[in-house]
Amino acid sequence: MDVLVCIKRVPLSGGKFTITEDGLDIESAKLGFTISPHEEVAVEEAVRIAEKEGGSVTVLTLGPPDAEEQIREQMAIGADRGILIETDGQEWDPQGTASAIADAINADETDFDLIIMGNESADASGYQVGIRVAHKLGRPIATGVKGITIADGKATFERPVKTGRELYEMPLPAVVTVLDGLNIPRYPSVPGRIRAKKKPIERLNPERPQPKLEKTRLEVPAMKAKQAQVLGNGPDAAPAVVEIFKQIGVI
Amino acid sequence: MALTVSREFTDPSAAELLPTVRQMCDDLLAPRAAAAEEAGEFPREVFRTLGAAGLLSLPFPEEHGGGGLPLHDYLQVIEELASAWASVGLGVSVHTLACFPLAIFGSAEQQQRWLPAMLGGELLGAYCLSEADAGSDAAALTTRAERTQGGYRVSGVKSWISHGGVADFYVAMVRTSDDGPKGISCLLLDADSPGLSARPPERKLGFSASPTAQMVFDDVPADGDRLIGQEGSGFGIALAALDGGRLGMAACAVGIAQAALDLAVRYAHERHQFGRAIADFQGLSFLLADMATQVAAARALYLTAARKRDRGEPFGVEAAMAKLFATDMAMRVTTDAVQVLGGAGYVKDYPAERYFREAKALQIVEGTNQIQRVVIGRGLRPS
């Protein structure tokens, strides 16, 4: 099994974001970078599949030259090689991104049996690239998956839904987009980091296609004030609490 | 809570490792420490996770599966771990102590056979030197290894063995002749060797999650290739291992003291009396200032000793100084941290009293602080 995982360099969330003067980007000079949690489980799953079935794990990203950092981190987890589709830092729209990824996959000497992506990126959350890549490659895709089983040259994908779970059985090669909770990713190991430094990264430099989706402006949403209502003090509050319980159907 | 100490490393890869170490401290160590210490539960699975991440082999060469880090950088990782959970920092240091004889004095053949599993993280080690009547005077040990055809049979009882009963391998200093320190040899034994057993763990003041037990050697067979180094060279190996081990204890002490300091500072800014934070009273602020200064001085001392070792220079005296100063410092700083928290420092709702109990152990282990002074004193000669 040769597995390809697509990752994206995104700013470390949790911090406070400031928007650049032109309103088109976030101020990233002082930010750390990472990949989305969905993609961390994607890499972990790929490494587990390769450990069990044999084969290789390749990590691909489209991003600035600095995205090598994210590829090396995933190599420390166990990915064998990397493909970095270099941009000049400009954002690519989902169509352009998917085309470049599909071209890179088609041009690669490895025929990937499975392509795993995060369900959506932690920054743009477009939900598009996985589906567009699968479409361009003419491969089946399952999205929002939280369980992967490989057996007899076929993949079974499990997707949680409100009433239970859906199972999809697919021939390989296939594409799948996954959610965190799929597994618990391991910590990168020290020997893994040492090996990661020596693993090969191939760099591609395609032209950025004319974007069909333009970003016009970013805005930081106003913080929503939390509302708290004091229903009363001590036993006096009880009737109001009971009333609310009735409203929400608890009693 | 992760340490906010800004760190300098010799090896850039240690700097890359630090965020992972701090993440593990936050995820795996800090949230469990109090409950596991209270229950006296050894966190074996935490050591498995650390081992899988390569944190049980940091100072050993890459070709044997180690992390290839200088002691200077490895010790700072120990300090970080100990600040989140002292039993874990101590345990990693003990494991390193147990791997050291094979990694430095073992033959290439022995290293190839056993070292990868010991450094790979699956196996946990213990180091057996002390006996009931051979503590500070370790050369008085009486556990005997009688020669047999093709090996030895070992009989005796080792005391105060960290990881006793939970370790997968035991490095034991045993008597192969009556020739005092020159009659001591070093053997590497598997935990499941017939006749090797642990007595029930000691009931201790602190470090309850890190078992300490007597190990009973009842005619334990050992093949000849279990001998590390030459027959009779065991005492030198034991002392060489302890030089590095003492720096591990110094790093643990600084980690515990830093955690106590951080707690005291946080509390002193939250706790209000007479209409202001108690940190605003000069009497208390001077106490915190002295604590912070002592922690920084102890850290500088152990790092200086480590750099000497990393340059290949003799460092035994400096290691003894670092162990002495850092563990005495930790005792003072954790005592003061209890004082800063007042009644809250004396109850188990806060970890101050735990830090205090843990610091006391470090003044005793791997050479009491009196023995450290003996080592330092011997090193003082007119030039």
Side-chain angles (χ1 to χ4, degrees):
Chain A
M1 284 281 295
D2 294 310
V3 187
L4 177 82
V5 185
C6 296
I7 62 173
K8 181 179 183 184
R9 175 182 165 93
V10 295
L12 264 170
S13 57
K16 201 178 151 212
F17 293 123
T18 319
I19 291 175
T20 52
E21 261 178 37
D22 62 6
L24 287 177
D25 219 334
I26 58 166
E27 198 60 74
S28 62
K30 286 179 190 161
L31 285 179
F33 287 87
T34 183
I35 62 172
S36 306
H38 299 342
E39 293 164 2
E40 286 177 4
V41 298
V43 174
E44 173 67 34
E45 194 71 15
V47 171
R48 287 185 193 184
I49 291 170
E51 282 169 354
K52 192 161 161 261
E53 308 277 330
S56 68
V57 176
T58 303
V59 169
L60 178 151
T61 192
L62 180 142
D66 286 346
E68 176 180 339
E69 185 194 339
Q70 278 62 49
I71 293 181
R72 295 276 178 215
E73 276 167 17
Q74 299 315 309
M75 287 172 157
I77 298 288
D80 303 290
R81 57 182 275 252
I83 301 173
L84 172 52
I85 306 175
E86 284 189 351
T87 67
D88 58 2
Q90 271 187 302
E91 186 142 325
W92 287 40
D93 69 0
Q95 289 97 321
T97 302
S99 293
I101 292 174
D103 289 348
I105 290 170
N106 280 328
D108 201 85
E109 59 194 21
T110 308
D111 293 323
F112 297 107
D113 301 294
L114 184 62
I115 296 165
I116 312 181
M117 301 198 192
N119 198 53
E120 81 274 10
S121 61
D123 57 350
S125 292
Y127 294 84
Q128 294 188 37
V129 173
I131 296 166
R132 287 181 183 277
V133 167
H135 183 73
K136 281 188 186 296
L137 296 172
R139 295 188 185 185
I141 178 166
T143 59
V145 163
K146 265 193 171 180
I148 298 180
T149 315
I150 307 287
D152 307 324
K154 275 185 292 197
T156 308
F157 300 125
E158 188 179 320
R159 176 156 81 174
V161 289
K162 267 191 183 155
T163 49
R165 59 204 178 111
E166 294 171 351
L167 290 177
Y168 296 87
E169 196 179 84
M170 280 183 204
L172 297 173
V175 182
V176 60
T177 72
V178 296
L179 295 172
D180 53 341
L182 173 68
N183 55 46
I184 298 169
R186 70 195 73 185
Y187 292 95
S189 76
V190 175
R193 281 175 206 280
I194 294 167
R195 283 194 294 274
K197 294 201 167 98
K198 296 167 195 154
K199 289 178 178 175
I201 295 182
E202 189 183 337
R203 287 165 194 275
L204 305 172
N205 292 283
E207 280 281 306
R208 175 177 181 245
Q210 196 53 42
K212 294 178 181 161
L213 185 69
E214 290 264 27
K215 181 159 65 182
T216 52
R217 197 160 55 91
L218 284 178
E219 253 176 50
V220 179
M223 291 292 279
K224 228 182 184 173
K226 279 184 186 153
Q227 284 199 346
Q229 193 188 344
V230 179
L231 296 171
N233 282 311
D236 298 343
V241 173
V242 170
E243 194 50 44
I244 286 179
F245 280 172
K246 279 182 184 161
Q247 277 173 24
I248 61 177
V250 179
I251 52 175
Chain B
M1 173 166 290
L3 282 180
T4 47
V5 178
S6 73
R7 299 201 172 275
E8 280 175 41
F9 294 104
T10 315
D11 187 328
S13 64
E16 290 170 23
L17 178 66
L18 185 62
T20 307
V21 171
R22 288 186 167 163
Q23 189 69 51
M24 291 175 124
C25 286
D26 289 350
D27 294 352
L28 299 176
L29 270 47
R32 301 186 197 182
E37 290 293 339
E38 189 67 28
E41 283 168 2
F42 178 66
R44 186 66 183 90
E45 77 294 347
V46 166
F47 284 91
R48 281 207 186 86
T49 310
L50 293 180
L55 294 188
L56 293 185
S57 61
L58 290 177
F60 296 107
E62 287 174 31
E63 60 262 33
H64 295 310
L69 285 191
L71 207 63
H72 175 269
D73 296 355
Y74 150 75
L75 289 169
Q76 296 189 73
V77 172
I78 294 280
E79 188 197 317
E80 293 272 340
L81 296 173
S83 76
W85 189 353
S87 284
V88 174
L90 179 94
V92 174
S93 185
V94 165
H95 177 77
T96 301
L97 184 68
C99 292
F100 177 89
L102 176 60
I104 305 298
F105 298 98
S107 69
E109 221 168 279
Q110 289 174 316
Q111 289 175 349
Q112 264 168 16
R113 183 162 160 207
W114 289 303
L115 210 45
M118 286 162 60
L119 298 186
E122 304 102 64
L123 304 185
L124 194 66
Y127 173 90
C128 308
L129 176 62
S130 296
E131 297 176 4
D133 294 318
S136 293
D137 183 11
L141 65 86
T142 59
T143 295
R144 290 203 80 87
E146 298 288 352
R147 267 208 166 277
T148 58
Q149 242 185 350
Y152 303 91
R153 296 194 86 88
V154 187
S155 289
V157 180
K158 290 287 182 184
S159 296
W160 313 117
I161 306 308
S162 297
H163 297 165
V166 300
D168 302 294
F169 65 91
Y170 292 82
V171 171
M173 305 305 155
V174 295
R175 185 155 292 289
T176 43
S177 84
D178 291 326
D179 195 9
K182 290 180 191 152
I184 294 171
S185 304
C186 175
L187 294 177
L188 170 65
L189 298 166
D190 289 337
D192 58 4
S193 303
L196 178 57
S197 62
R199 292 222 171 112
E202 307 287 353
R203 296 168 303 142
K204 294 178 294 183
L205 179 64
F207 284 104
S208 306
S210 175
T212 305
Q214 285 192 323
M215 293 302 298
V216 180
F217 295 75
D218 183 10
D219 216 16
V220 177
D223 290 339
D225 60 6
R226 295 268 167 184
L227 176 73
I228 307 294
Q230 306 301 311
E231 227 180 63
S233 70
F235 198 61
I237 294 175
L239 294 189
L242 281 179
D243 283 342
R246 282 167 184 163
L247 288 180
M249 291 307 101
C252 283
V254 173
I256 293 169
Q258 180 73 49
L261 169 66
D262 289 349
L263 173 64
V265 168
R266 204 159 56 239
Y267 186 86
H269 282 89
E270 282 167 7
R271 168 81 173 164
H272 282 66
Q273 288 290 276
F274 306 104
R276 51 185 164 152
I278 59 171
D280 292 339
F281 291 101
Q282 199 177 47
L284 202 113
S285 131
F286 276 17
L287 185 59
L288 294 172
D290 284 344
M291 290 163 71
T293 307
Q294 291 182 65
V295 173
R299 182 178 293 121
L301 195 55
Y302 88 68
L303 290 176
T304 302
R307 280 194 296 271
K308 250 190 131 189
R309 202 316 285 257
D310 290 334
R311 287 196 301 268
E313 295 170 24
F315 72 109
V317 169
E318 287 78 3
M321 287 175 173
K323 197 270 176 180
L324 167 66
F325 185 82
T327 59
D328 281 353
M329 175 283 294
M331 197 68 250
R332 283 193 304 272
V333 165
T334 56
T335 304
D336 289 344
V338 171
Q339 191 69 20
V340 170
L341 270 72
Y346 199 68
V347 296
K348 294 188 181 228
D349 299 352
Y350 287 88
E353 57 84 31
R354 193 182 90 220
Y355 299 144
F356 168 85
R357 290 184 284 110
E358 288 164 346
K360 187 66 225 174
L362 299 185
Q363 291 181 302
I364 300 169
V365 297
E366 299 202 21
T368 63
N369 283 5
Q370 286 64 43
I371 289 298
Q372 307 306 325
R373 289 180 173 94
V374 171
V375 173
I376 298 162
R378 268 188 207 141
L380 298 175
R381 293 275 182 275
S383 52

